[in-house]
Amino acid sequence: GSSVGGGGGTKRTKKSHRSHRSHRHKQEDPDRSSTKRDWEMYLNRHDASFSGSVKSTSSTTGNMLAPIPKDVHRVFECVRGSEPLPREKLVSSVVRELMMARRDGGEDGGSVLERDLGSVVVAILSKHDNGGSSSDGGIGKSTLAGLVCVRGDVRSRYTQGVAWLNMRRQPDASLNFEQYSKTLSDICHQIGIQPHHLKLSPFVRTPCEDEAVANVRMRLHMKEARIAMGKLLSSSRFRKKARSSRKTSLLIVLDDVADESDIEWFRFHRRGDGEKVLNDVLVTSRLGQISTATPITVPALSEQEGMN
């Protein structure tokens, strides 16, 4: 009996030594520990739920929250181990642009109303010090977009949903009908409606068809698909899900856009071209500028952030 007791005592002693060494190691790296606390506090403060639930959840105020896109989970899985410090000022700048309202009524100070166009496009871009047309990745643009998407105020603003699309393609490859139809189906899945309601017809090239003619026909098919998506988003089947009084309650995130012209394909109109746009768009891109978007520039990583 004493032998067992003695062994237990030895184990407890070794365990206490290991605990002491672990505690001492943590004390030797206060910056890293502080960064981890800041990261976890940020996620908790902005109602970030990582349960992967498809259904919307309720916030503490009773408002419905759009679910967090699954791709945001994947982005955070890549970075949470390195414990990056959230750039809250940049996050707030993006959110402010997305939430921006327009004062209508002229100089007499009329009431604040939704923008006449009903849609905003915000682009998270890299700072270009070399004057080039594109920059390197890995400085936190996707992470910044993800931090925007987990915020409770953003998820309660976009009650119809937040859809995240990875736009990365081969260099010099243009968006084609097959890719576009897949992304539309992906949007439908993410916001909880069935893609078959789009009723898209396939694009089929005829034998010996000229390449230029085929491209024109394909673009027409893509325009028809965009119109169909707009009609679906404005239909009673989908609009009844919105509990917001704002006209745009759907956010589409286009991650890693390489061609500015892609953005317009994801601005869906109520009844086709010329009508008000039904959704807002958040873009991340390595492009130096995007003329159709309000830019938010991400500075290069600091030495400490790079090491982390």
Side-chain angles (χ1 to χ4, degrees):
S2 59
S3 175
V4 173
T10 303
K11 289 182 179 179
R12 283 195 297 272
T13 301
K14 289 182 179 179
K15 183 177 181 180
S16 65
H17 283 314
R18 285 196 300 269
S19 177
H20 176 70
R21 285 197 303 269
S22 175
H23 177 69
R24 184 176 61 187
H25 176 71
K26 289 182 180 179
Q27 285 183 324
E28 290 172 353
D29 198 359
D31 291 338
R32 189 173 181 85
S33 177
S34 175
T35 300
K36 182 176 182 178
R37 286 197 303 271
D38 289 340
W39 175 256
E40 298 297 337
M41 286 173 60
Y42 179 88
L43 297 179
N44 292 334
R45 184 164 65 252
H46 293 293
D47 300 319
S49 169
F50 288 88
S51 62
S53 174
V54 175
K55 296 182 179 180
S56 299
T57 56
S58 297
S59 67
T60 55
T61 60
N63 295 326
M64 295 300 292
L65 298 180
I68 299 172
K70 291 183 179 180
D71 277 337
V72 172
H73 298 234
R74 297 190 185 99
V75 169
F76 286 169
E77 285 173 2
C78 294
V79 299
R80 291 184 82 186
S82 57
E83 301 158 7
L85 180 65
R87 294 166 161 177
E88 293 207 39
K89 288 185 178 179
L90 284 173
V91 175
S92 297
S93 295
V94 176
V95 173
R96 184 167 53 251
E97 292 297 335
L98 289 173
M99 303 288 190
M100 183 180 293
R102 167 178 171 168
R103 183 170 295 279
D104 195 357
E107 298 180 357
D108 59 349
S111 60
V112 176
L113 300 175
E114 185 72 5
R115 293 184 176 201
D116 288 344
L117 294 178
S119 173
V120 294
V121 180
V122 180
I124 301 173
L125 307 174
S126 307
K127 184 176 181 180
H128 290 242
D129 295 326
N130 56 3
S133 60
S134 63
S135 66
D136 295 331
I139 69 169
K141 294 185 294 295
S142 297
T143 303
L144 180 59
L147 290 170
V148 170
C149 292
V150 302
R151 282 182 51 138
D153 52 354
V154 172
R155 294 163 62 203
S156 63
R157 160 69 172 84
Y158 296 104
T159 55
Q160 290 179 302
V162 178
W164 183 292
L165 302 175
N166 188 336
M167 300 297 291
R168 188 178 297 112
R169 296 196 304 272
Q170 294 295 324
D172 302 323
S174 299
L175 185 67
N176 59 41
F177 179 80
E178 181 180 4
Q179 295 166 337
Y180 187 53
S181 59
K182 286 181 179 179
T183 57
L184 295 185
S185 295
D186 193 6
I187 292 172
C188 289
H189 283 301
Q190 291 189 53
I191 61 179
I193 56 179
Q194 296 298 319
H196 67 79
H197 291 304
L198 284 172
K199 300 178 181 178
L200 300 181
S201 58
F203 171 72
V204 180
R205 290 189 59 172
T206 59
C208 303
E209 185 177 22
D210 181 76
E211 185 74 20
V213 174
N215 286 335
V216 170
R217 287 204 309 111
M218 183 182 69
R219 293 292 167 178
L220 289 174
H221 262 66
M222 291 173 67
K223 287 182 179 180
E224 291 175 0
R226 182 176 62 180
I227 291 173
M229 187 70 176
K231 289 181 178 180
L232 180 59
L233 294 178
S234 58
S235 66
S236 58
R237 178 185 289 109
F238 181 66
R239 296 295 290 178
K240 66 182 180 181
K241 293 176 58 182
R243 297 170 183 251
S244 171
S245 61
R246 296 176 181 267
K247 295 182 179 67
T248 56
S249 53
L250 169 65
L251 176 65
I252 296 178
V253 182
L254 305 179
D255 187 32
D256 204 1
V257 169
D259 188 340
E260 181 177 348
S261 65
D262 288 352
I263 298 172
E264 189 59 31
W265 290 107
F266 296 94
R267 300 181 73 230
F268 303 108
H269 301 255
R270 186 178 300 277
R271 297 297 176 191
D273 292 337
E275 294 288 341
K276 292 183 178 179
V277 180
L278 297 168
N279 62 283
D280 290 340
V281 181
L282 177 60
V283 175
T284 74
S285 179
R286 304 182 191 189
L287 297 173
Q289 63 179 4
I290 293 180
S291 60
T292 57
T294 300
I296 301 294
T297 303
V298 179
L301 295 174
S302 66
E303 183 177 352
Q304 183 63 42
E305 289 174 319
M307 290 177 65
N308 286 341

